[in-house]
Amino acid sequence: MTGFCPELSDNVVEVRDWVHTFARDVIRPAGAEWDEREETPWPVIQEAAKIGLYSLDFFATQWFEQSGLALPVAFEELFWGDAGIGLSITGTGLAAAALASNGTPEQMGEWLPQMFGTENDVKLGAFCASEPDAGSDVGAIRTRAVPDGSDWVLNGVKTWATNGGIADVHVVVASVDPSLGTRGQASFIVPPGTPGLSMGQKFRKHGIRASHTAEVVLNDVRVPGECLLGGRDKLEARLARVRNGERAGEQAAMRTFETTRPSVAAMAVGIARAGFEYARDYAREREQFGRKIGANQAIAFLLAEMATRVDVARLLTWRAAWMARNGRQFEQAEGSMSKLVAGETAVWVTEQAIQILGGAGYTREHPVERFHRDAKIFTIFEGTSEIQRLIIGRAVTGLPVR
């Protein structure tokens, strides 16, 4: 792969500095409080909306920035501030990506604005793919969408949904032909206030506690035909190709995950960087046995490894984001590589940060224990580390690795 240069344009640098200032002055001071409360940080989201950071314009403008680096850079800064609050601000983006990846221009024009709202009336979006028995195994999705005249009727239970049940617009992945597995699935918009959609269990989590995660229950949820992303004609044509043994393109949920992997990787890089910087600054000031602990080779070498791994994860993330934006195929599963390395780097770096702080790092007097709790989800959601290795293994061998 040639042509990639990780130099940031002036516009991207300006976005980075703007988001960093918000993360430093607004998000980071609020991180511990909302982690303890385990609630959606509406005041912070509203502050982000007031300055245009939480808005359709921001996501759309940065999504289409030519280098592809604007969103990853912005997400790194947000999650450097705090991962739970960062996910509350960016969580709607996954639903928006699902709509942008699978919807028609008319559907995007109608529903994307309703996912974000305005600075005075903030809205949320939720992407609902996982189920109690279908996490990594997307082919096991049991939620059914059955045509009824020009409408569709959805029944099932979704789980692990960011903003699930409290969102204004839900994007739901459902099976329209279970015999075809993932190739028989489609995505549907469930408009605000649709009867039959309710929130099930709200999960109390190890980390990212300021981000709302819950079950979404669909009980005879009726949506009009225009809520089928891509439209019925496109769906029927795709199903016909599958039934005839032809290739039919990527499944809707998989296309969404592949699109967002570099952005998710960037979130993990932000957490890793936060852990490294805190440990580095602590090592510069903390004295033991008459000198700064950072002057001890064991600590200095560990910090060197932490810094190196953060940079490796960032560069893999930038490469994948640049490739996606410039139409380069992920021939070696570069999107999965970025997510795998960044997620595992975040876990490792934040664990080492706790180790450098010693007992102090294990207490809530310092944020590194929260960083570590927040980091763990990045080896699990939107494709576990094991699934990323499976995807990469298939790509590099060309074999159906199972």
Side-chain angles (χ1 to χ4, degrees), residues 172-250:
V172 177
V173 179
S175 176
V176 297
D177 187 342
S179 70
L180 300 179
T182 59
R183 297 175 298 172
Q185 295 171 2
S187 294
F188 297 83
I189 290 285
V190 180
T194 300
L197 185 147
S198 61
M199 186 179 81
Q201 177 186 5
K202 176 186 175 181
F203 295 104
R204 301 188 66 187
K205 306 187 298 294
H206 177 65
I208 55 167
R209 294 179 179 178
S211 173
H212 175 95
T213 308
E215 291 180 329
V216 174
V217 180
L218 302 137
N219 184 15
D220 288 334
V221 173
R222 180 177 292 271
V223 299
E226 54 266 29
C227 288
L228 166 62
L229 293 189
R232 192 154 183 174
D233 289 345
K234 183 177 179 181
L235 172 64
E236 293 295 346
R238 177 167 63 83
L239 294 178
R241 292 196 301 273
V242 173
R243 291 170 184 141
N244 289 331
E246 303 172 28
R247 293 183 60 86
E250 291 179 283

Side-chain angles (χ1 to χ4, degrees), residues 12 61 145 388:
V12 174
T61 300
Q388 306 308 329

Side-chain angles (χ1 to χ4, degrees), residues 64-89:
F64 291 108
E65 185 272 330
Q66 186 58 47
S67 73
L69 302 182
L71 270 186
V73 164
F75 285 0
E76 178 181 333
E77 297 303 329
L78 286 173
F79 282 69
W80 172 89
D82 179 73
I85 294 176
L87 192 56
S88 286
I89 293 172

Side-chain angles (χ1 to χ4, degrees), residues 298-330:
I299 301 297
F301 279 15
L302 184 54
L303 288 168
E305 182 72 15
M306 293 162 72
T308 301
R309 292 198 189 190
V310 171
D311 271 8
V312 167
R314 180 184 296 112
L315 289 171
L316 282 172
T317 298
W318 284 8
R319 181 185 68 169
W322 179 87
M323 290 177 69
R325 179 63 186 90
N326 288 277
R328 304 295 181 93
Q329 293 295 316
F330 287 163

Side-chain angles (χ1 to χ4, degrees), residues 35-53:
D35 175 73
E36 290 284 350
R37 292 175 64 166
E38 298 191 55
E39 297 174 359
T40 300
W42 288 107
V44 183
I45 299 174
Q46 289 165 349
E47 287 300 311
K50 286 179 183 178
I51 66 170
L53 179 56

